[in-house]
Amino acid sequence: MRVKRLLKKKTAEDIANLPELDDERQEMGQRMNELLIVCVFQVQPTMLPLIIFLLTTTTLKHGLNPSSCDAFAGLGMILCGRLGKLEKGCEMAKAAELIVKQPGMRRITSKTIFVAQSFCYHWTEPLQDTVTPLLEGCQKGLEIGDTDSACSCLVVRSYCLYFTGRPLESIQEELEATIEVMTQLRQDARKMRIVILLATVKKLRGIDTEAGDEKMDSLLATAAATGNFSLAAFVNSMKLEVFVIFQQWEEAIELVQKSGNVRLALTSAFNTVRYTFLQTLTYFKAAQTASGKKRKQMKKCGKTTLKVIQGWAKNGNVNVVHYLRILEAELDWQQGNVKKAEESFKAAISSSRRNGFRNDTALAHELSSSFYKAKGDEYWTNYHLECSKSCYQEWECSEKVKLLDESFNERNQECGFSKS
């Protein structure tokens, strides 16, 4: 409330035109809080808003300094991710970007780009649009010696490339090069995020799967031993990614139920959005195979998280439209609205393809195939399964293609002929 009162109706330009901070004591306090953010983000995310609010109120009362960029970019992150005020959140991120262009703010340039692009702009702009600015943020960080922020930009950029469905082979090559760079820069904490993604990509391609599983389990153990909730959230979110793509729904629901509040630990990053989608889909799939009280519970959980995604879509998040169509189709199917489910699956496939999400186009086709199989429609079952396989091939998801081939062979044997 205090922050809201001090902000009043200030625009990004109004904030950027505040006077410069000239109180040495206040400036020292701002710098201490700025440094605290990194630690709190990793181990106690619930405290993060308190520090950001303190940075913001001090800036509004006493003036601008480099820490003010952290204040307003961080405030944008909270407004977008936790409060759902996307327009205001992006306005605060814009304020941070205007402040950082002023004299004496160069040291915070890379970090400001990192926070604004990672936690704010993806809520209202296409996810693909964050890839280039994050690379620029990395380059600026290396130029000024801010290797922490430079590598943070690289981490988020790598995950954005994955989530937008870039071919997995090219992502793997980039991740392996990134790990070498981070090893040289001694960026062990950030390198772990890249290792998680690399293990996921290699598993989807059928490469060193056992070693990758062992690495993920080892990272989970490290996270538990050190109380690093953020690291655990990254591991669990990517394990869920694999379970969903491989249609391992029993493992998926077990992970969702054991992982705790992953969304809180992932703050406002796109990983939060992706996890929420996968979590909701997992609940609906669990409800399909459950019965009685368990079925009602899973369906209720799915509807609860579906409302979160519906809220994001209503507020203008263009990256969740195809997610929403997939989930609505699954819910309509469960509720017996067959015609509506069919229309939603078609819309999901169309929007995923139109926006370039190869991975999600493949998933939407495969889920559509299951829907038609349940209807007993063999033609559309096989059609969507073939389309799914084609999309997974384009994505270079070799292990999934192998599994789909095995599924085709089984279906053809049931029909009494072999696959040509």
Side-chain angles (χ1 to χ4, degrees), residues 150-391:
C151 290
S152 293
C153 286
L154 271 185
V155 170
V156 178
R157 180 179 182 274
S158 298
Y159 277 86
C160 287
L161 290 174
Y162 172 83
F163 291 136
T164 53
R166 297 289 180 92
L168 292 179
E169 185 177 357
S170 64
I171 293 177
Q172 181 178 333
E173 291 172 357
E174 185 165 326
L175 292 175
E176 289 169 344
T178 300
I179 286 174
E180 290 183 15
V181 171
M182 290 189 177
T183 300
Q184 293 173 4
L185 295 174
R186 298 181 180 180
Q187 289 286 328
D188 293 339
R190 291 164 182 83
K191 184 173 75 172
M192 282 192 284
R193 269 65 173 176
I194 297 295
V195 168
I196 292 166
L197 182 55
L198 178 60
T200 302
V201 169
K202 291 174 78 172
K203 188 173 181 71
L204 294 175
R205 300 189 67 217
I207 301 171
D208 298 333
T209 55
E210 290 186 8
D213 290 341
E214 290 175 4
K215 189 64 181 178
M216 296 287 259
D217 291 339
S218 173
L219 289 172
L220 272 181
T222 299
T226 58
N228 192 331
F229 300 110
S230 177
L231 178 60
F234 267 84
V235 174
N236 284 323
S237 65
M238 297 314 291
K239 282 171 74 74
L240 182 61
E241 186 83 23
V242 172
F243 289 148
V244 169
I245 291 171
F246 289 164
Q247 305 281 286
Q248 296 171 324
W249 300 114
E250 290 183 8
E251 293 85 345
I253 192 60
E254 182 180 357
L255 185 146
V256 166
Q257 292 177 322
K258 287 184 177 179
S259 298
N261 195 343
V262 171
R263 293 213 310 270
L264 176 63
L266 293 174
T267 59
S268 296
F270 187 78
N271 303 58
T272 304
V273 177
R274 180 69 178 179
Y275 180 83
T276 306
F277 162 63
L278 298 177
Q279 180 188 35
T280 308
L281 182 58
T282 298
Y283 280 135
F284 286 154
K285 285 298 184 182
Q288 280 184 3
T289 56
S291 59
K293 186 177 180 181
K294 183 72 172 178
R295 178 183 174 87
K296 289 181 180 179
Q297 180 189 5
M298 292 295 98
K299 193 172 179 181
K300 181 179 179 181
C301 290
K303 284 184 174 181
T304 299
T305 49
L306 176 60
K307 286 180 181 178
V308 175
I309 298 174
Q310 288 172 332
W312 292 336
K314 184 178 179 181
N315 287 331
N317 190 327
V318 296
N319 298 303
V320 302
V321 174
H322 62 291
Y323 291 168
L324 191 57
R325 296 291 173 262
I326 290 173
L327 297 172
E328 288 175 342
E330 288 288 330
L331 183 58
D332 289 334
W333 178 12
Q334 285 191 34
Q335 293 178 336
N337 299 326
V338 176
K339 185 65 177 176
K340 196 173 178 183
E342 192 170 9
E343 291 172 357
S344 292
F345 275 125
K346 288 179 181 177
I349 292 166
S350 176
S351 59
S352 299
R353 184 189 297 117
R354 185 172 57 252
N355 293 315
F357 292 91
R358 292 184 186 89
N359 48 344
D360 296 327
T361 306
L363 177 62
H365 273 299
E366 188 173 13
L367 294 172
S368 296
S369 178
S370 297
F371 165 71
Y372 284 108
K373 183 179 180 181
K375 283 182 64 181
D377 190 328
E378 186 175 343
Y379 173 81
W380 287 110
T381 298
N382 291 333
Y383 169 79
H384 283 291
L385 210 56
E386 284 283 5
C387 289
S388 178
K389 178 185 170 182
S390 177
C391 291

Side-chain angles (χ1 to χ4, degrees), residues 44-112:
Q44 193 57 265
T46 54
M47 285 184 62
L48 186 62
L50 301 178
I51 298 174
I52 290 172
F53 292 155
L54 184 57
L55 280 167
T56 305
T57 54
T58 302
T59 293
L60 291 170
K61 289 173 68 176
H62 299 282
L64 301 172
N65 76 323
S67 301
S68 302
C69 297
D70 252 9
F72 290 101
L75 183 60
M77 174 180 71
I78 294 169
L79 288 168
C80 287
R82 298 196 182 183
L83 301 180
K85 298 182 178 180
L86 308 188
E87 185 178 348
K88 189 65 175 177
C90 290
E91 182 75 5
M92 294 300 100
K94 180 183 174 184
E97 290 182 331
L98 290 174
I99 295 168
V100 84
K101 292 177 181 178
Q102 298 182 13
M105 304 291 180
R106 187 166 179 260
R107 73 164 179 83
I108 202 78
T109 303
S110 180
K111 191 175 183 182
T112 302

